Amino acid sequence: MADVTFESTEFADSYETTEGRVYTVSGQDWDTVLAAPEGEHERIVVNMGPQHPSTHGVLRLILELDGETVTEARCGIGFLHTGIEKNMEFRTWTQGVTFVTRMDYLAPMFNETAYCLAIEKLLGITDQIPERASVIRVMMMELNRMSSHLVALATGGMELGALTAMIFGFRERELILDIFEMVSGLRMNSAFIRPGGVVQDLPAGAEEKIRETVALLRKRYKDTANLLVDNAIWLARTKDIGYLDLTGCMALGVTGPILRATGLPHDLRKSQPYCGYENYDFDVVTADTADVYGRFLIRIQELEQSLRIVEQCLDRLEPGPVMIGDKKVGWPAQLSVGGDGMGNSLDHIKEIMGTSMEALIHHFKLVTEGFRVPAGQVYQAVESPRGELGVHLVSDGGTRPYRVHFRDPSFTNLQAVAAMCEGSMIADVVAAVASIDPVMGGVDR
Amino acid sequence: MSELAVPTEGRPTLDVVEVRRGAFGVHGSGDTSGFGGLVRPVALPVAAERPFGAVFDVIADEVEAGLTARDGAFSDSVERVLVAHEELTFVVRREHLLTFMSVLRDEPGLRFELCLGVTGIHWPGDLGAEFHAVYPLLSITHNRRVRVQTSCPAADIHLPSIVSVYPTNDWHEREAYDFFGIIFDGHPSLTRIEMPDDWLGHPQRKDYPLGGIPVEYKGATVPPADERRSYS
């Protein structure tokens, strides 16, 4: 910035920089803007967000415009950084679940499962997880995949002006959150999946409720599809928008529906199954358009695949334990859902306080100190609704993680904004970002 | 490596990265519990020898062939190979990292198309290699995973950027820089990504405090998390 001169009007200034004259169009400076010398390059940089309804949370987009065409697009993130990875280094392995569930807040079950699978791998107890616990995990994850996709479709529709799609999406999601509330006591951030299994068995009546909900969802999920799939306006807003081909996806590390929209059937549930996914019958949905419309279709069809898996889970549920038998890992607490959420069952407290001192000591040690995990590192990935959710865990042999790192798919996929948006119209940026479906809680952690 | 890592005949050297003393945060002469005398070395899994098992030998052979084709030697690039939890890790010297990564990406028998970012790890006790960087990779073609690990000393905290090989690592390297201060040479724009631009310090380092204030609840005071009793 050579010499800064302020041509003052009362409200706005324009000044010279090394990049040319800068106008801060904040009002009453139209004369100076119009007076720009002939041939001077017009370069408008627009800040979209972080507080903007169509950026899917606190995402800041910095767009350079030529008229209505985006010439450069960059993302600014970090507005929701909460230091979850650092915090987990000061909590026990089990307490970590409470943190990870809050990262990608639309897919808490996936965060929890990925984290717990990684711990179990490091402990070497993957084979000892009870069958029932794995089935419940899969069922919770698939219900969660539906609720996440429904929000993606709902907000994506809303951002392009299809408000009815939003109403439908949130209406259906509510049904799934009711199940979560019944099972874990909480609609979100439930910390339900724990190292060694799940925190408690399904309450009485849960299976029937899930069956009813699945039947209802089977009827209803098509409402959004019927509204949009052949809708001329929707097609005009999404077809050939936000194009990203396979090469682009691979270079940028993009996974999930965006990758499958290029025609590559990559799904970790099929290629590297965990939690017994190899036992379920479902299809990997792909599209070959590599655009916003293709990703939209994939999410719609994945709803149906998830419904199929949930139905199979219900059929596979056999009575049995839901927590590992190893008393050094599985919490002894008999939890139950009370009026104010999940907590210790009063019967269990009565028993350990009144009759069994050893049980009390064991409970106290395991809950306050936690279990030790052998030193080493593992990487565990699950297929979250947004792509590969990876956990890199490092243990120093202690009762706390030494380092936890989450490779959140939203974080990586957001890098594709520039590739998808540059050269497009500014209105299509909204469509492209909606199709990436970033969740800033996961991006920033 | 600390003083405990003395190689003995016939036994693999322990990869001791730290030695912990005491427990519950008890230190010094005021200790009557006896826990202050506890000594616990923190040792990471030791180097694996061939055969590595499963397809790991195939991967290692392909890597060796690829490095040779690029005028490199396996033993020059790879410090050691780790096999644990059915996962293969190549510990690579940082000066050979970029070549190593291009071998992993380009060799037809390897084809690790997808780099899944980089994790920084701070081991203040691992003198000469205080900062580790770990890159998980996935080959969709062959459905295999592999991990590459490298390190740099705190005195010269530089690693080569692999953005030229895996553009996806752009943000991941910025994140590792932000949180650990690892400088990735050759990165197109190494700036902070999560913390504000004018932030001081690198929060994920072990000497960076967690922070927090005591919380009073129903008459009892709970200290902040990093001042609570520690069992590690």
Side-chain angles (χ1 to χ4, degrees):
Chain A
M1 212 186 296
D3 47 352
V4 182
T5 56
F6 291 98
E7 299 169 15
S8 70
T9 63
E10 200 175 338
F11 299 101
D13 302 309
S14 70
Y15 49 89
E16 302 286 345
T17 69
T18 49
E19 303 232 320
R21 188 179 283 241
V22 171
Y23 299 97
T24 50
V25 193
S26 51
Q28 305 206 0
D29 57 349
W30 197 238
D31 291 341
T32 50
V33 174
L34 284 180
E38 199 65 29
E40 187 176 288
H41 177 61
E42 189 190 31
R43 182 172 185 259
I44 299 177
V45 180
V46 170
N47 236 325
M48 206 161 134
Q51 308 293 343
H52 191 283
S54 74
T55 55
H56 251 81
V58 281
L59 168 66
R60 176 181 170 214
L61 290 169
I62 305 145
L63 307 173
E64 188 182 309
L65 302 178
D66 180 13
E68 271 197 74
T69 308
V70 178
T71 51
E72 271 191 75
R74 294 289 180 272
C75 294
I77 62 168
F79 297 96
L80 210 54
H81 177 58
T82 45
I84 284 178
E85 290 173 4
K86 176 92 175 170
N87 264 294
M88 287 169 73
E89 293 168 14
F90 294 90
R91 306 298 203 289
T92 65
W93 294 92
T94 309
Q95 284 173 318
V97 177
T98 338
F99 281 90
V100 300
T101 188
R102 281 159 172 76
M103 294 188 319
D104 183 342
Y105 44 78
L106 291 184
M109 296 297 174
F110 294 90
N111 302 336
E112 294 169 20
T113 309
Y115 174 68
C116 292
L117 286 175
I119 296 177
E120 287 155 10
K121 203 171 182 185
L122 206 46
L123 281 166
I125 56 169
T126 309
D127 301 337
Q128 300 170 36
I129 307 305
E131 171 70 16
R132 187 175 170 88
S134 286
V135 175
I136 294 177
R137 282 178 179 183
V138 170
M139 189 163 70
M140 286 298 151
M141 278 194 286
E142 292 307 323
L143 287 168
N144 199 176
R145 188 184 312 278
M146 280 192 279
S147 74
S148 174
H149 278 350
L150 284 166
V151 173
L153 296 169
T155 55
M158 180 188 69
E159 286 157 15
L160 297 183
L163 286 175
T164 317
M166 180 198 71
I167 302 290
F168 284 172
F170 278 104
R171 182 188 68 184
E172 266 76 278
R173 174 178 183 252
E174 205 63 24
L175 300 171
I176 295 172
L177 293 188
D178 283 347
I179 297 177
F180 286 169
E181 185 175 356
M182 183 183 194
V183 170
S184 72
L186 295 165
R187 288 154 49 90
M188 296 170 80
N189 306 331
S190 42
F192 179 69
I193 294 158
R194 301 277 175 94
V198 298
V199 74
Q200 61 173 326
D201 207 345
L202 300 175
E207 285 178 47
E208 292 74 49
K209 186 179 170 75
I210 296 170
R211 259 184 218 286
E212 283 166 24
T213 309
V214 166
L216 190 58
L217 281 171
R218 267 210 179 276
K219 266 190 271 173
R220 279 198 189 168
Y221 86 95
K222 286 188 181 132
D223 288 356
T224 318
N226 292 341
L227 203 62
L228 296 175
V229 169
D230 294 323
N231 184 319
I233 303 172
W234 186 257
L235 285 167
R237 289 302 309 273
T238 57
K239 269 259 177 208
D240 301 325
I241 303 295
Y243 185 84
L244 189 68
D245 63 5
L246 182 59
T247 319
C249 283
M250 283 293 103
L252 293 167
V254 172
T255 48
I258 309 173
L259 178 58
R260 288 193 284 276
T262 66
L264 183 75
H266 174 63
D267 190 322
L268 292 174
R269 292 177 293 172
K270 284 279 188 207
S271 62
Q272 303 187 343
Y274 47 90
C275 290
Y277 263 112
E278 63 273 22
N279 304 324
Y280 297 89
D281 184 23
F282 65 100
D283 302 324
V284 178
V285 185
T286 58
D288 53 6
T289 53
D291 59 2
V292 175
Y293 188 65
R295 292 161 208 152
F296 159 75
L297 287 184
I298 286 180
R299 291 202 173 94
I300 293 257
Q301 289 165 35
E302 281 189 354
L303 289 178
E304 186 182 354
Q305 299 304 323
S306 293
L307 283 170
R308 281 176 69 188
I309 300 175
V310 173
E311 284 163 350
Q312 292 170 52
C313 287
L314 288 168
D315 296 337
R316 292 176 67 89
L317 271 179
E318 300 283 339
V322 293
M323 184 50 97
I324 187 170
D326 187 344
K327 297 291 180 204
K328 293 288 183 193
V329 176
W331 272 18
Q334 310 300 309
L335 299 180
S336 63
V337 176
D340 56 347
M342 189 166 52
N344 278 323
S345 105
L346 293 174
D347 289 338
H348 180 67
I349 293 176
K350 206 166 152 190
E351 184 203 323
I352 60 173
M353 296 294 277
T355 60
S356 173
M357 191 191 216
E358 294 299 328
L360 178 65
I361 294 170
H362 175 67
H363 187 131
F364 180 77
K365 284 281 281 178
L366 195 55
V367 173
T368 57
E369 180 175 338
F371 51 82
R372 285 171 195 278
V373 173
Q377 58 179 342
V378 287
Y379 180 85
Q380 172 70 43
V382 302
E383 185 74 29
S384 99
R386 277 161 274 284
E388 170 159 345
L389 173 68
V391 191
H392 186 218
L393 271 190
V394 183
S395 174
D396 62 353
T399 57
R400 299 165 165 183
Y402 189 77
R403 167 93 171 105
V404 193
H405 177 68
F406 279 86
R407 186 258 184 211
D408 194 279
S410 302
F411 179 84
T412 316
N413 293 358
L414 255 192
Q415 294 186 99
V417 164
M420 282 187 193
C421 297
E422 289 181 0
S424 72
M425 304 290 275
I426 190 166
D428 297 336
V429 172
V430 176
V433 172
S435 77
I436 295 175
D437 187 27
V439 174
M440 298 315 288
V443 173
D444 292 339
R445 301 180 303 285
Chain B
M1 292 281 170
S2 82
E3 75 275 12
L4 284 183
V6 183
T8 47
E9 287 292 317
R11 286 176 62 201
T13 313
L14 281 178
D15 185 12
V16 177
V17 289
E18 202 176 336
V19 179
R20 301 263 167 82
R21 288 170 200 286
F24 314 133
V26 172
H27 300 284
S29 59
D31 169 34
T32 52
S33 67
F35 286 112
L38 288 176
V39 178
R40 186 173 72 88
V42 177
L44 296 182
V46 293
E49 301 288 337
R50 274 182 186 267
F52 302 130
V55 293
F56 298 161
D57 289 295
V58 180
I59 299 176
D61 290 341
E62 293 280 355
V63 167
E64 198 160 353
L67 284 170
T68 316
R70 285 167 181 75
D71 300 326
F74 189 77
S75 54
D76 286 347
S77 306
V78 180
E79 209 174 291
R80 58 185 191 278
V81 178
L82 308 174
V83 177
H85 308 290
E86 294 168 26
E87 294 177 344
L88 177 68
T89 309
F90 291 104
V91 183
V92 178
R93 293 189 178 85
R94 59 174 166 168
E95 52 272 27
H96 299 286
L97 182 68
L98 207 54
T99 324
F100 194 86
M101 286 298 190
S102 33
V103 168
L104 287 183
R105 187 192 65 177
D106 296 337
E107 284 300 311
L110 295 168
R111 283 262 187 276
F112 287 94
E113 304 99 344
L114 207 53
C115 182
L116 300 160
V118 54
T119 310
I121 308 164
H122 187 198
W123 289 105
D126 194 3
L127 300 178
E130 283 90 344
F131 290 92
H132 295 198
V134 183
Y135 305 81
L137 296 128
L138 170 68
S139 162
I140 296 178
T141 311
H142 300 294
N143 197 21
R144 294 171 188 159
R145 283 185 191 277
V146 76
R147 194 158 49 214
V148 174
Q149 182 178 320
T150 188
S151 63
C152 60
D156 177 31
I157 184 164
H158 287 264
L159 287 176
S161 166
I162 62 159
V163 173
S164 54
V165 182
Y166 290 108
T168 175
N169 263 39
D170 181 354
W171 283 18
H172 293 277
E173 287 181 4
R174 283 176 63 192
E175 190 185 290
Y177 162 73
D178 195 356
F179 287 157
F180 291 91
I182 301 172
I183 296 164
F184 291 91
D185 298 318
H187 189 283
S189 61
L190 195 65
T191 50
R192 287 188 183 272
I193 187 164
E194 296 290 354
M195 307 303 285
D197 291 343
D198 55 354
W199 195 263
L200 295 176
H202 299 285
Q204 288 274 11
R205 289 190 181 182
K206 288 290 170 182
D207 51 5
Y208 189 101
L210 179 68
I213 54 164
V215 175
E216 194 180 310
Y217 183 66
K218 292 192 175 176
T221 306
V222 181
D226 55 347
E227 288 170 25
R228 289 177 206 157
R229 174 176 283 196
S230 157
Y231 299 87
S232 287

